[in-house]
Amino acid sequence: SKLATELVEATRAKVIEFFNAEDYYCVFTQNASGALKVVGESYPFDASSTLILLADNHNSVNGIREYCCNRGGKTQYVQVQYEDLKINRELLLNALATAPESDNKLFAFPGQSNVSGVKHDLKWIKTAQDHGFDVLLDAAAFVPANRLDLRTVKPDFVSVSFYKIFGYPTGIGALLVRKDKFD
C-alpha cells in the first residue's frame, strides 16, 4: 500500500511537471470521459448558469449539458465555420458577450476536435475568461501530438487521456484542475 501510494504520487508529480502545471491539481480518472464527468458533476451549475459548447465537441463534453440543464442552467452551442471547421469568431464572441451575468459560467471546447481533427486556437481560453467564463479544455486529442504548457495557457479544467498519448494502457486519464478553482 505504501509503495503503491508513492508510485501514484511520483506519477502525479511527473504529470504536473510535463504540463508545467504547478498551479494545478492532478486527479487521475478512468479516462478523459471520466475527467469530463467529474467536471459535470462538480461544477456549481445553477439556474443562472450558462454553458457554452462548440458544435464539434466530443460526445462526453456534450454530456455536461445535462448537468447544467438539470440544475436549471442554459446551454448554448456555437457552430464552427463551414469552410474550415474552425471556431466561428463572430458567433463565439457574441455568445460570450451576451451570456447573462452569473458566477458560474463555463465554456467547454476541444484543443483539437475529435470529429474533424481541426486544432482550435488556445487563445480562446483567455478570451472566454475575460468574459467571466471558466474554461474546460478537452485536451485528449490535442496532447498526443502537441505541447500543452499550462504556464502559458491557463484553462480552469483540462481533461487528458493517457491511452491516446501512449496507446497503452487503457483505463487511465486525468483531470487537471487549477488550484484556485478546486472548490
Side-chain angles (χ1 to χ4, degrees):
S1 173
K2 182 180 177 198
L3 178 59
T5 299
E6 290 169 1
L7 291 171
V8 168
E9 291 305 319
T11 303
R12 188 181 327 269
K14 287 290 186 185
V15 170
I16 296 292
E17 178 185 339
F18 181 79
F19 290 110
N20 286 324
E22 292 79 17
D23 295 334
Y24 290 76
Y25 293 114
C26 175
V27 178
F28 290 116
T29 60
Q30 189 174 17
N31 47 37
S33 294
L36 296 165
K37 184 177 180 187
V38 169
V39 173
E41 291 174 338
S42 303
Y43 194 79
F45 290 117
D46 59 27
S48 65
S49 295
T50 299
L51 170 63
I52 295 178
L53 304 156
L54 288 188
D56 71 340
N57 274 316
H58 185 278
N59 203 37
S60 295
V61 177
N62 292 330
I64 295 172
R65 73 182 182 271
E66 295 303 316
Y67 294 101
C68 181
C69 291
N70 286 341
R71 296 185 193 141
K74 174 185 166 199
T75 300
Q76 181 176 354
Y77 277 92
V78 173
Q79 295 299 317
V80 294
Q81 298 176 136
Y82 178 76
E83 302 80 18
D84 60 6
L85 303 178
K86 291 187 177 183
I87 291 174
N88 184 310
R89 177 179 168 69
E90 183 179 319
L91 291 178
L92 182 53
L93 285 174
N94 184 57
L96 294 170
T98 61
E101 283 300 312
S102 171
D103 292 333
N104 303 315
K105 299 187 293 188
L106 183 64
F107 171 53
F109 81 109
Q112 181 170 335
S113 172
N114 278 317
V115 178
S116 66
V118 168
K119 289 182 202 169
H120 295 297
D121 193 337
L122 299 183
K123 291 178 184 175
W124 284 108
I125 295 166
K126 179 151 180 16
T127 300
Q129 290 169 333
D130 288 347
H131 282 85
F133 278 79
D134 295 321
V135 177
L136 166 58
L137 176 66
D138 175 9
F142 183 81
V143 295
N146 301 279
R147 182 82 174 124
L148 179 61
D149 184 341
L150 294 177
R151 275 193 216 145
T152 304
V153 295
K154 299 177 182 187
D156 302 285
F157 312 99
V158 181
S159 62
V160 176
S161 167
F162 293 110
Y163 170 72
K164 288 186 178 181
I165 296 172
F166 304 120
Y168 182 80
T170 61
I172 188 162
L175 174 63
L176 300 168
V177 180
R178 239 178 47 202
K179 289 179 180 177
D180 64 342
K181 297 293 180 172
F182 190 72
D183 287 344

